[in-house]
Amino acid sequence: MKSVFFQKQKTTLLMIIIGIVLIGILLAIPTGFEDALIYQGSERAVGVVTAVDNSAIITSGMIQSGEQSCKMMMEDGTFKGQEITGVNFLSGSLEQDKIYKEGDKAYVRISINDGEIASCVMTDHFRLDKEVILFAAFIILLIAVAGKKGILALFSFVITVLMIWKVLVPSYLRGYSPVWVGIGVTVFITLVIIFFVYGFERRTITASMGALLGIITTCVLGILFTDLFKIHGAVMPDSESLLYSGFAELDLTAIFMSSIFIGASGAMIDLAVDITSAVHEVVEKKPSIGWKEASISGMHVARAAMGTMTTTLLLAYSGGCIASLMVYMAQGTPIDHILNYKYVAAEILDTLVGSFGLVTVAPFTALVAGLLLTKHGRRQEAAAADGEKFSETV
């Protein structure tokens, strides 16, 4: 028992080291877009609003335009401890505009010329401190509930964020093939996440094979039906702004295609892990079970999970377009017109193609789990009969 315990501890420590190394490598990779022209010759700082002047704001119903002037006490940067005046420009957009009041913290961009303030633009309310608190609470809860598994899950979370920000986004901006880059990043993230769940064992291979088949299926269907639906990548938020920012050569439609299987990959990884864990548990309780019976047990679990997973995708995608649906209903738009709009069709495409991937993942993962995990179980049983001791990784 002690040897098994120490083996588990050694495996966990090795996984933690791998996680730290991967995070270190990703942090060291430059995106190539750190020195944006808009931020050169300026610094970012935080200030507390001490007084506001709304006299230059023009109000027309719900829309406000003009500018708001605010005095702020700077909390960091070159002008820490000084009171300076910042300007909050209003464009008449409820989505983008913000109004400050006394006591608010603001994130500002200060342009400096010969050591003097040339301009101070208030970019947004300062939220980073609250975000840090929320993330810290998430870490504490995750570790408190899941223990060592929670630490490994945290590594998966951080690596996924860094892969998207340090590899995926810069590669798209440089004009690399969005589909191939998306596939590469998604495959890497899938393997990393499942590795941190199971470690060095057969379950990692089983769940990875199941998830990757679903991702490939989703990729192929996404490419095919994006073309058949005649969906342009400009349906993605802020995509036109990206083109006008000097990246007119980007293939937005290919980026949209890649977003389909990237967005659905999480649910497919989840389903593959659920089925793999269920079959493994069955084999642990009954080592003599055959691969067919184990696969059937896996399919029973898969059928229940698929019902909730497809609904999860539906809720995730529909939640992002609820305002558009409300507009269509308020205007009395016929349902057939609503379903035919490209924005709604894009969400339908996301949901149904992702669901196709989930349906593919289920039987394949159950079959692979039955073949690989029951074979492992029989080896354990034979080894136990010979009096040998084998360690298992939970």
Side-chain angles (χ1 to χ4, degrees), residues 198-211:
Y198 293 130
F200 302 95
E201 60 167 286
R202 290 173 180 266
R203 284 182 291 175
T204 300
I205 299 174
T206 302
S208 297
M209 290 176 65

Side-chain angles (χ1 to χ4, degrees), residues 4-185:
V4 173
F5 173 78
F6 285 120
Q7 182 64 32
K8 291 180 180 179
Q9 295 295 101
K10 183 179 178 181
T11 301
T12 301
L13 179 61
L14 181 58
M15 292 167 70
I16 291 174
I17 292 173
I18 292 174
I20 293 173
V21 170
L22 285 175
I23 291 174
I25 292 173
L26 289 171
L27 285 173
I29 296 175
T31 64
F33 297 91
E34 287 85 1
D35 298 322
L37 187 61
I38 189 175
Y39 292 111
Q40 291 181 9
S42 65
E43 73 170 35
R44 295 180 295 278
V46 179
V48 178
V49 177
T50 57
V52 298
D53 180 4
N54 297 330
S55 60
I57 296 178
I58 302 172
T59 302
S60 178
M62 294 185 297
I63 304 301
Q64 293 179 311
S65 57
E67 61 184 51
Q68 180 187 37
S69 179
C70 301
K71 289 185 177 180
M72 297 173 293
M73 183 62 66
M74 304 310 297
E75 292 195 334
D76 60 3
T78 304
F79 303 95
K80 181 179 180 180
Q82 300 182 33
E83 187 176 62
I84 65 175
T85 300
V87 180
N88 171 32
F89 293 105
L90 304 173
S91 62
S93 170
L94 291 175
E95 179 184 3
Q96 299 179 5
D97 290 344
K98 50 271 174 188
I99 296 293
Y100 299 93
K101 62 181 185 295
E102 291 184 20
D104 286 349
K105 277 189 177 182
Y107 214 4
V108 301
R109 186 174 75 247
I110 304 173
S111 297
I112 304 173
N113 187 10
D114 295 330
E116 298 294 328
I117 298 176
S119 66
C120 177
V121 178
M122 306 171 71
T123 58
D124 212 330
H125 288 89
F126 184 71
R127 305 181 180 91
L128 295 181
D129 52 348
K130 280 77 175 181
E131 291 175 2
V132 169
I133 293 172
L134 183 61
F135 188 61
F138 165 69
I139 293 174
I140 293 171
L141 180 62
L142 182 63
I143 296 176
V145 173
K148 290 183 292 186
K149 291 290 185 182
I151 297 175
L152 297 176
L154 183 62
F155 281 126
S156 300
F157 183 87
V158 175
I159 290 171
T160 300
V161 171
L162 290 175
M163 280 295 297
I164 293 173
W165 184 248
K166 291 281 194 170
V167 179
L168 185 73
V169 175
S171 297
Y172 283 177
L173 288 174
R174 291 190 180 96
Y176 298 145
S177 172
V179 172
W180 286 110
V181 170
I183 290 174
V185 169

Side-chain angles (χ1 to χ4, degrees), residues 231-293:
I231 301 293
H232 191 277
V235 296
M236 297 181 294
D238 296 321
S239 55
E240 289 188 63
S241 298
L242 180 62
L243 296 181
Y244 302 146
S245 300
F247 296 91
E249 74 284 354
L250 294 182
D251 188 347
L252 293 181
T253 302
I255 295 174
F256 173 76
M257 291 175 181
S258 67
S259 71
I260 295 175
F261 61 81
I262 292 174
S265 62
M268 287 182 279
I269 294 171
D270 192 10
L271 181 59
V273 168
D274 286 345
I275 296 172
T276 301
S277 297
V279 174
H280 176 264
E281 188 67 20
V282 170
V283 173
E284 288 293 295
K285 293 294 186 292
K286 187 180 178 183
S288 60
I289 191 172
W291 69 268
K292 289 184 180 179
E293 188 178 356

